[in-house]
Amino acid sequence: MGEPMMGQPAGLPTFRTSIEPGQWVMHPEHRDWGMGQVQSAVGTRVTVNFEHRGKVLINAALVDLQIQYQITSR
């Protein structure tokens, strides 16, 4: 089951996501929002700044954000 995350009640499974700050994503149900850049990702809470919607807090356990590309450091 893994260790609980800080602030997560004991007994709940640890949520893992591949979403990281700096990545560009699309919301599968709101493509009209345009591309969004991930600002932060803490547990299931992902803050994304979308081109045509602005900053949105998303529950990644409920929405499968589609990663478009990410900026990698060299």
Side-chain angles (χ1 to χ4, degrees):
M1 185 179 290
E3 293 294 317
M5 295 181 345
M6 182 176 282
Q8 178 181 354
L12 291 179
T14 302
F15 181 81
R16 302 268 189 242
T17 180
S18 59
I19 302 291
E20 297 177 356
Q23 291 177 321
W24 288 88
V25 298
M26 294 284 290
H27 191 296
E29 298 173 15
H30 297 285
R31 298 193 70 76
D32 59 311
W33 290 359
M35 296 259 290
Q37 187 174 32
V38 176
Q39 304 297 299
S40 67
V42 179
T44 61
R45 298 168 54 108
V46 179
T47 303
V48 182
N49 190 15
F50 289 98
E51 294 173 300
H52 306 297
R53 174 72 174 151
K55 199 172 281 189
V56 178
L57 178 61
I58 294 173
N59 183 340
L62 302 176
V63 177
D64 187 20
L65 292 170
Q66 300 166 342
I67 299 171
Q68 303 301 299
Y69 61 90
Q70 65 187 46
I71 300 170
T72 57
S73 58
R74 293 183 178 203

